[in-house]
Amino acid sequence: MPEAGPAKTTRAAIPGRLPFQFTAIDPSIRRAIIYHHASDGYPLSGVLYLPPKGDPDLAVLAMHPRGDFSRHYLAPYTALGGYAFFGATSRYLHNDADALHERLLLDVAGSVAWLRDRGFKRVVLMGNSGGCSLFSYYLDQASKAPESRHQKAPSGDKVPLGDFELAMVDGFFALAAHPGEGAFLLERLDPSVVDEADPVSANPKLDMYDPRNGYVPMHMGPSKYSKDFLVEFRAAQVARCERLDARARAWIEEAQAHRQWVKDGERFTPLPPNEKLRVVRQSLVRRYMLIYRTLADPRYLDPSLDPSQRPMGSIFSFGRDPIAGNYGEGLARSMSARGWLSTWSGLSSRASLQQTLPSVTCPFHLCNALADMDIYPSEADAMFGLAASGDKTRSELAYADHYLNPHGDEGKRLGDPRQRCAEEVFLPWLRERWPNDGA
């Protein structure tokens, strides 16, 4: 790989760079592009970082359901600290519109297996953001006997996890973790949507962006929402998710029924040619959902709710009032019915820390950023309590945002949160449990 300049430490994200990406790396760090595969043979890739000298016996694995962690900002620090770092990509890189989290577990399993085959005796998972719920789901299934693992996705698609080896790992470091993509989105679905086909339809009684409910534009804020409004708002979010799930399941069942019809010779053979063609096409179709308005969380604009060091707004509204993201880019905008149920549904996705962290028993550390605009202190408290590890510890990064950039003057005074995380938390946690020559 080409060298990237002489800097020995990473710097904060700059325009044009992905938020999880380092901006400079010590040229003495050894790097290699890796082509490997998931346990079911799906081709994958990644970048392996090694210390300037020596052959470490521990590798840190980082992966995200759709993000690119092949140049993660912790990679240079980890390698200079004497450990290997493997930033692997998933099969749904940059596009999770049809993502089955059950298949993602096979990407994790294949990456762990490659590291073991490469000679690393120990593997530690570094679950950053959505990578945490992915890894926690993996550990949950790996802890079960093969016959007890999930055999199908929520859609009914076969993903026989019991047919594959899901090797256990030695440790799990959770960084700026959220409770799962579905659980995350459930609290951001705009419950005021009246018609899923109309991006601007709204029930004003459930609209957090209606001034009558306490909304104040972010540049004039903060907003203030009443307890009664919040109770009704949260219940309506669940109701909307239930409706979306019902639509997804109906579409899936419709296709399944037509596939069964094709297989049933007594019913299918007598059909006229045009009707046969219609039935076959209905059996093949994979319908996609357009999901509007997915950035509605009162905590974005009312800092009295789950107070922290965060500024107002969301990481997904790019410095603007979240109303812009809610009606604009949003999250999970286009999803197949099966992808919705497996990945972004807060009621159907299994990649939920509420469900999976109680199965985690390896050494566990939770590090959360106190100025994170999308992950809140109460969530970090709940996550830490869920882990069953006998060795579990936690830390907090003051005035650091979700991507570990400094927030405000106080954040700048404290120094680069990425460096603080690496040198004061992550590497000491590794060295205390798995000492190496780089300590």
Side-chain angles (χ1 to χ4, degrees):
M1 293 181 61
E3 302 300 346
K8 291 182 178 292
T9 59
T10 58
R11 298 189 298 273
I14 59 175
R17 297 279 183 161
L18 295 175
F20 293 109
Q21 183 176 317
F22 61 76
T23 58
I25 188 169
D26 189 317
S28 68
I29 293 174
R30 295 172 291 164
R31 288 161 283 166
I33 297 175
I34 303 301
Y35 299 107
H36 63 304
H37 54 79
S39 294
D40 62 350
Y42 195 95
L44 303 172
S45 63
V47 178
L48 179 67
Y49 299 82
L50 294 170
K53 297 179 181 179
D55 295 311
D57 65 0
L58 184 148
V60 173
L61 172 64
M63 182 185 287
H64 188 277
R66 70 187 184 284
D68 185 357
F69 280 2
S70 66
R71 287 179 284 179
H72 195 275
Y73 53 75
L74 283 186
Y77 292 109
T78 304
L80 288 177
Y83 299 97
F85 186 101
F86 185 35
T89 60
S90 82
R91 68 184 69 198
Y92 300 118
L93 179 64
H94 301 319
N95 185 1
D96 63 356
D98 193 37
L100 298 185
H101 254 77
E102 290 73 16
R103 289 182 179 167
L104 281 165
L105 301 196
L106 302 180
D107 297 355
V108 179
S111 299
V112 172
W114 183 86
L115 288 169
R116 298 289 193 195
D117 292 343
R118 171 70 167 65
F120 293 103
K121 297 178 181 178
R122 298 180 179 86
V123 175
V124 170
L125 304 179
M126 197 285 293
N128 186 189
S129 192
C132 179
S133 51
L134 169 62
F135 283 158
S136 185
Y137 185 19
Y138 172 83
L139 292 175
D140 170 73
Q141 291 296 288
S143 70
K144 292 176 167 52
E147 62 273 14
S148 298
R149 295 175 188 158
H150 293 140
Q151 298 299 302
K152 297 180 179 179
S155 59
D157 289 83
K158 292 183 179 179
V159 190
L161 297 176
D163 293 353
F164 300 94
E165 180 182 1
L166 305 183
M168 292 301 292
V169 300
D170 298 274
F172 184 17
F173 187 91
L175 174 61
H178 60 63
E181 288 179 311
F184 179 89
L185 192 69
L186 182 60
E187 294 191 322
R188 285 151 183 85
L189 283 175
D190 189 336
S192 71
V193 170
V194 176
D195 180 355
E196 293 292 342
D198 182 355
V200 298
S201 66
N203 176 352
K205 293 183 178 180
L206 295 170
D207 189 355
M208 69 167 273
Y209 296 111
D210 189 318
R212 290 169 291 184
N213 296 322
Y215 169 66
V216 177
M218 191 170 77
H219 70 283
M220 300 170 58
S223 300
K224 184 65 178 179
Y225 302 101
S226 71
K227 291 182 179 179
D228 289 344
F229 173 77
L230 292 171
V231 169
E232 192 172 359
F233 184 92
R234 294 302 187 192
Q237 286 180 310
V238 174
R240 184 185 177 199
C241 189
E242 289 174 340
R243 294 193 299 270
L244 290 168
D245 280 18
R247 174 192 286 187
R249 293 186 191 281
W251 286 354
I252 290 166
E253 290 167 4
E254 181 182 31
Q256 290 173 338
H258 282 84
R259 284 195 291 273
Q260 190 58 42
W261 195 348
V262 172
K263 294 177 182 178
D264 188 343
E266 292 185 6
R267 293 178 61 210
F268 184 74
T269 302
L271 293 176
N274 285 347
E275 182 65 5
K276 282 184 177 178
L277 185 60
R278 184 194 70 80
V279 172
V280 169
R281 289 178 175 178
Q282 287 281 17
S283 74
L284 297 173
V285 72
R286 180 173 300 152
R287 299 187 69 172
Y288 278 70
M289 306 165 68
L290 273 177
I291 305 164
Y292 294 103
R293 312 244 294 276
T294 55
L295 278 182
D297 189 332
R299 292 174 292 189
Y300 287 155
L301 296 171
D302 187 344
S304 71
L305 303 174
D306 219 336
S308 68
Q309 297 172 351
R310 69 185 186 273
M312 289 191 293
S314 164
I315 61 174
F316 300 104
S317 56
F318 309 106
R320 300 170 295 168
D321 190 311
I323 191 173
N326 191 49
Y327 283 87
E329 299 88 352
L331 290 170
R333 175 56 52 82
S334 177
M335 293 296 300
S336 70
R338 68 178 188 174
W340 166 260
L341 293 174
S342 180
T343 293
W344 283 109
S345 167
L347 301 178
S348 297
S349 175
R350 297 157 173 163
S352 161
L353 296 188
Q354 182 71 34
Q355 299 180 43
T356 62
L357 262 183
S359 298
V360 172
T361 57
C362 63
F364 175 73
H365 185 93
L366 176 67
C367 179
N368 62 295
L370 294 182
D372 195 323
M373 291 187 287
D374 272 277
I375 300 168
Y376 307 102
S378 66
E379 294 173 315
D381 292 344
M383 285 182 243
F384 186 70
L386 285 168
S389 304
D391 174 4
K392 66 176 182 178
T393 50
R394 65 178 299 184
S395 58
E396 297 174 328
L397 293 172
Y399 296 99
D401 72 9
H402 181 68
Y403 302 112
L404 268 57
N405 294 310
H407 166 57
D409 292 338
E410 189 65 19
K412 294 176 182 177
R413 184 188 68 80
L414 290 172
D416 184 356
R418 298 178 173 191
Q419 185 171 0
R420 284 193 278 138
C421 175
E423 297 179 355
E424 299 173 16
V425 181
F426 186 48
L427 287 172
W429 180 76
L430 288 174
R431 289 167 178 159
E432 183 178 346
R433 289 153 184 81
W434 306 282
N436 68 4
D437 292 337

